[in-house]
Amino acid sequence: MSKLKIGIIGCGGIAHAKHFPALSKLNDKVELAAFCDIILERAEEAAAKYGVPGVLVTEDYREVLEDKSIDVIHVLTPNVSHSEITVAALDSGKHVMCEKPMAINSAEAQLMIDAAKRSGKKLTIGYQNRFRADSQQLYSAVQNNELGEVYFAKAHAVRRRGVPTWGVFQDKEKQGGGPLIDIGTHALDLTLWYLNNYKPKSVLGSTFQKLKDKPEGNMFGPWVPETFETEDSAFGLIKMENGATIYLEASWALNILNGKDAQVTLCGTEAGAEMFGETWKDQGYVVYNKVAHNQMVETKPSGAGGVYGFSGANIAMHDAEAIQWIDSILNDTEPLVKPEEALVVTQILEGIYKSAETGRVVEFDNRDSL
């Protein structure tokens, strides 16, 4: 069987931190065949490190799409270009992995889904936190009804001082927003996935830009207040059609003692669960709580166990995500992260921004919900 040829569009931080290392471990299944970046030197450096001799290196993503030998495209660019490049890639006959968030608004996300259906090619979004061992364990617990009916959840994505100071994260035009669309999207994706509930009814949201002039103490070094264009915090109260309620908190900089990144609290009729630990290091864990023997009881599993689709093996989330995505193409199965699910995440985030801007509750039309 010949290897899948992959074209990388966007050779910045997320490519080097996540996609290049994970895909390089799958050299029996894939070949990195094209590298594109608007800064040519970045594409050249990536090609030299991860490519084979003679790979395509370019500043123009259209050249990558015109190469009929390429099977798969990874879109790793600023958020504003996700939809444009993804739609063009699908229409050129290639499968697409697009980094989160899916798009800067739901209209552009819908264009991506339409293109996937039109082309018959696979599309997935880079929500790698589903592949963490603690995420898989909690998902299994919910699926097995161990928590009973989950009617309230908190989606956590808050940092004490963790504003990204590289790339275009603080550029509102290129990113579409700040921590809500950057890290809040991960926490919300996990929550909806656990609840298997993609029918939002309404949302009430608030955004703040209160700490932009206080860059001291940031873990990534001080930011430049004059170029900090996005919110620094956002909060949303989401009510689902069935009455379940989700509280979403997202912040790069908040005066709190302990941060929680891409973690969830679930409250059910039989038990509750809360995620802790350093998830970005794949060191998250879940504490379950319930009443037993007329007493309140908390349990914390040992942590031993598998990751999605990999029985008995503790595989890093980035590696597991890459394996499942590539295997879904080779075996013609569904990727774990479905674009229709990512669309609902985008719709809710868009609703929070709109509610914050107007000061009103945003109601959803669920005729096209999953």
Side-chain angles (χ1 to χ4, degrees):
M1 180 177 63
S2 60
K3 297 181 182 180
L4 289 175
K5 292 191 175 183
I6 298 180
I8 303 293
I9 299 177
C11 298
I14 195 66
H16 285 275
K18 172 182 171 181
H19 295 265
F20 289 151
L23 291 171
S24 295
K25 296 174 184 176
L26 302 178
N27 56 14
D28 60 326
K29 298 179 179 179
V30 305
E31 175 183 305
L32 296 179
F35 298 81
C36 174
D37 197 282
I38 58 173
I39 300 175
L40 186 60
E41 290 77 11
R42 287 201 302 216
E44 291 173 339
E45 290 172 2
K49 185 172 183 179
Y50 295 102
V52 296
V55 296
L56 173 62
V57 179
T58 179
E59 299 170 283
D60 187 349
Y61 76 85
R62 296 170 187 84
E63 290 188 30
V64 181
L65 304 188
E66 290 169 359
D67 188 335
K68 296 188 183 302
S69 71
I70 293 176
D71 307 293
V72 185
I73 296 293
H74 281 218
V75 179
L76 317 179
T77 60
N79 301 343
V80 70
S81 60
H82 282 185
S83 181
E84 173 193 332
I85 298 174
T86 297
V87 169
L90 290 165
D91 283 341
S92 72
K94 293 143 185 359
H95 305 287
V96 177
M97 152 70 81
C98 178
E99 256 306 326
K100 63 79 195 168
M102 188 173 187
I104 60 172
N105 59 54
S106 57
E108 293 196 359
Q110 185 63 57
L111 292 176
M112 297 162 70
I113 291 176
D114 293 344
K117 292 178 179 177
R118 184 169 62 240
S119 66
K121 296 299 179 179
K122 297 186 187 299
L123 169 63
T124 194
I125 309 301
Y127 286 121
Q128 73 272 2
N129 286 283
R130 292 195 192 187
F131 294 86
R132 296 182 342 229
D134 60 327
S135 298
Q136 290 290 324
Q137 178 199 105
L138 181 51
Y139 181 77
S140 176
V142 174
Q143 291 296 105
N144 292 334
N145 203 36
E146 294 174 27
L147 275 60
E149 177 193 356
V150 180
Y151 56 91
F152 178 67
K154 295 180 182 179
H156 309 283
V158 289
R159 301 172 182 170
R160 189 173 181 179
R161 287 295 186 279
V163 178
T165 52
W166 62 93
V168 296
F169 282 99
Q170 301 166 37
D171 187 323
K172 188 173 183 179
E173 180 182 356
K174 290 185 172 63
Q175 290 295 92
L180 181 62
I181 202 170
D182 175 41
I183 56 177
T185 190
H186 277 300
L188 181 57
D189 172 69
L190 284 177
T191 306
L192 298 179
W193 181 55
Y194 294 142
L195 272 57
N196 190 27
N197 189 341
Y198 292 90
K199 295 183 181 296
K201 181 178 180 182
S202 64
V203 63
L204 177 65
S206 296
T207 60
F208 297 96
Q209 194 188 58
K210 297 291 188 180
L211 301 181
K212 66 169 291 185
D213 295 322
K214 303 177 185 296
E216 301 84 6
N218 192 47
M219 69 171 68
F220 303 120
W223 60 83
V224 179
E226 291 75 18
T227 59
F228 199 142
E229 300 174 355
T230 69
E231 82 277 2
D232 55 45
S233 297
F235 307 92
L237 189 66
I238 306 146
K239 189 167 185 178
M240 311 302 285
E241 269 195 354
N242 69 349
T245 300
I246 300 169
Y247 168 66
L248 169 61
E249 55 180 7
S251 181
W252 285 333
L254 195 65
N255 285 324
I256 54 173
L257 185 59
N258 298 308
K260 293 177 79 69
D261 224 325
Q263 292 169 315
V264 174
T265 299
L266 301 179
C267 300
T269 55
E270 299 299 322
E274 187 168 351
M275 307 180 93
F276 296 94
E278 297 176 309
T279 55
W280 59 94
K281 296 181 180 178
D282 256 350
Q283 295 175 3
Y285 61 92
V286 184
V287 175
Y288 297 88
N289 68 84
K290 64 179 181 178
V291 172
H293 315 295
N294 201 34
Q295 293 182 328
M296 291 182 286
V297 176
E298 296 84 42
T299 59
K300 177 180 176 290
S302 67
V307 177
Y308 181 84
F310 311 101
S311 179
N314 286 311
I315 298 177
M317 61 177 168
H318 294 162
D319 296 340
E321 179 189 43
I323 292 169
Q324 203 273 336
W325 164 235
I326 296 302
D327 283 352
S328 75
I329 298 171
L330 293 174
N331 301 326
D332 194 21
T333 55
E334 272 196 314
L336 178 62
V337 181
K338 302 173 183 62
E340 293 83 2
E341 297 168 343
L343 170 63
V344 178
V345 175
T346 305
Q347 290 172 334
I348 293 174
L349 298 181
E350 186 178 31
I352 292 174
Y353 280 126
K354 184 176 180 180
S355 175
E357 181 181 352
T358 62
R360 297 180 179 181
V361 172
V362 171
E363 303 282 347
F364 293 96
D365 178 357
N366 287 294
R367 287 176 299 176
D368 298 323
S369 294
L370 299 184

